[in-house]
Amino acid sequence: MASATEIEIVHVNAPLGHEVRGVDLSRPLAARTVEAVERIFDMYGVITLRGQTITPEQHIAFSRHFGALERYPIDRFLLPGHPEIFVVSNIVEDGRAIGMADAGRVWHSDMHFTATPSRCSLLYAREVPMRDGRALGATLFASTAAAYDALPRDIKATVDGRRALNSYSRYVERRSAKVGGGKSGQSERTKQADQHPDVWHPLVRTHPRTGRKCLYISDEVTCAVEGMGETEGEQLLKELLAHITRPEFVYTHEWRVGDLLIWDNCSAVHNAIGDYGPDERRLMHRTTVAGGPTF
Ligand code: SIN
């Protein structure tokens, strides 16, 4: 069993995205090891455990240490026999897409458009597209906590205590205008839209475990600000998103097969880069941990 004392953190030059070494998820984990990983995760918001060789069962069991698992709402992208795992992939087998090819291609946090958004997600890299020796299909992460801390005082006064409206229908409309109605997961998203009424969340969320304040905006989902007209609200959201995604708050994760990366859906937003072709195979397995009401 790995003990907490063997754990090492390898820091990256960003507020989040640090690597945690010394934990083998294919072996039984001591309770204090899991607690140490969770503490490091809470502290940084995005961490990677590289070089893991795990089964879907081990992925699910480790994820459950962080809370109850949520099922992704689109059934046909769930791993057969393991519906806790959402498959993100461009692979087509026997004429059938085995996963969602274009998941997360916009700055967002998971299930932002629900009343109780997910706590965190754990993405495991099974196949990573490579071209000329370089990995493709990176994922970008931005620290919404560091971005909040760095806001000028007058902007903090504007955003603190205000709510913003989040709309899945609006996201589906915007994606449809960009990628076309029939592309990849788009037709499933359209079916889902009716089941997700618009929801208000604080524009500045308090992290339920660390107490840190975090800007809470997903591009194309967060669409209006309480007490502001449409144009003024949209302009503020655009400026805040540009601030969150400034280079000093962003970590680019270049995937290697065997990476298990955990991201927090309050203190971070992420964006998957689709810079690979349909024949350059990418296969990722994601579990999603339930969260609670926002405040
Ligand atoms: C996601 O947002 O769940 C997908 C992230 C990725 O594929 O890199």
Side-chain angles (χ1 to χ4, degrees):
M1 271 192 197
S3 78
T5 51
E6 291 160 9
I7 293 179
E8 182 194 354
I9 305 176
V10 181
H11 291 279
V12 296
N13 188 22
L16 69 190
H18 307 286
E19 184 183 339
V20 175
R21 289 198 184 154
V23 181
D24 179 353
L25 301 179
S26 70
R27 303 182 55 195
L29 297 174
R32 62 203 173 104
T33 302
V34 176
E35 279 160 26
V37 172
E38 192 170 31
R39 244 191 335 270
I40 297 167
F41 171 61
D42 281 340
M43 194 178 300
Y44 295 114
V46 175
I47 57 170
T48 312
L49 288 77
R50 294 213 192 248
Q52 304 294 326
T53 306
I54 50 170
T55 61
E57 289 83 1
Q58 287 164 337
H59 183 178
I60 291 166
F62 180 63
S63 304
R64 285 205 168 114
H65 290 300
F66 294 84
L69 300 190
E70 280 176 344
R71 204 178 266 218
Y72 195 78
I74 302 179
D75 285 353
R76 81 173 172 102
F77 297 137
L78 303 179
L79 186 68
H82 297 286
E84 301 87 346
I85 293 183
F86 164 49
V87 180
V88 178
S89 183
N90 60 351
I91 298 171
V92 176
E93 273 171 7
D94 302 325
R96 173 188 163 269
I98 67 162
M100 186 183 278
D102 63 348
R105 299 262 176 97
V106 67
W107 284 107
H108 72 287
S109 76
D110 296 332
M111 307 306 277
H112 192 143
F113 47 82
T114 63
T116 53
S118 319
R119 175 186 176 194
C120 61
S121 305
L122 295 87
L123 194 65
Y124 178 53
R126 292 189 165 270
E127 292 188 51
V128 175
M130 301 290 295
R131 200 185 300 157
D132 303 327
R134 204 172 59 82
L136 302 172
T139 311
L140 312 181
F141 295 90
S143 172
T144 56
Y148 174 81
D149 290 347
L151 280 178
R153 195 177 298 191
D154 60 323
I155 310 283
K156 279 186 179 160
T158 304
V159 294
D160 278 339
R162 254 185 225 267
R163 296 186 308 163
L165 188 65
N166 300 280
S167 169
Y168 190 68
S169 315
R170 177 131 165 167
Y171 164 70
V172 172
E173 267 167 38
R174 291 196 174 188
R175 291 301 291 164
S176 197
K178 273 191 194 158
V179 301
K183 188 112 185 253
S184 189
Q186 195 58 19
S187 51
E188 276 82 4
R189 288 190 191 107
T190 306
K191 284 182 219 146
Q192 283 295 317
D194 290 346
Q195 292 167 34
H196 294 291
D198 295 356
V199 61
W200 290 93
H201 286 299
L203 189 48
V204 178
R205 253 186 96 174
T206 303
H207 193 284
R209 294 173 63 87
T210 65
R212 281 188 83 177
K213 287 189 169 187
C214 306
L215 284 168
Y216 195 48
I217 298 171
S218 285
D219 198 7
E220 298 180 357
V221 168
T222 312
C223 57
V225 178
E226 187 176 42
M228 287 188 178
E230 194 178 320
T231 314
E232 190 191 6
E234 279 185 358
Q235 185 58 29
L236 177 65
L237 292 171
K238 201 166 143 203
E239 283 167 18
L240 290 172
L241 196 65
H243 171 77
I244 294 168
T245 56
R246 271 165 44 177
E248 63 266 40
F249 306 132
V250 174
Y251 163 68
T252 300
H253 187 74
E254 297 195 347
W255 292 94
R256 293 183 212 154
V257 170
D259 286 353
L260 185 286
L261 184 146
I262 318 173
W263 68 74
D264 186 293
N265 282 307
C266 176
S267 65
V269 283
H270 60 284
N271 186 358
I273 304 300
D275 59 353
Y276 49 94
D279 298 327
E280 294 173 299
R281 291 168 65 105
R282 186 175 191 267
L283 174 58
M284 319 291 274
H285 280 181
R286 188 182 106 184
T287 51
T288 312
V289 177
T294 57
F295 51 92

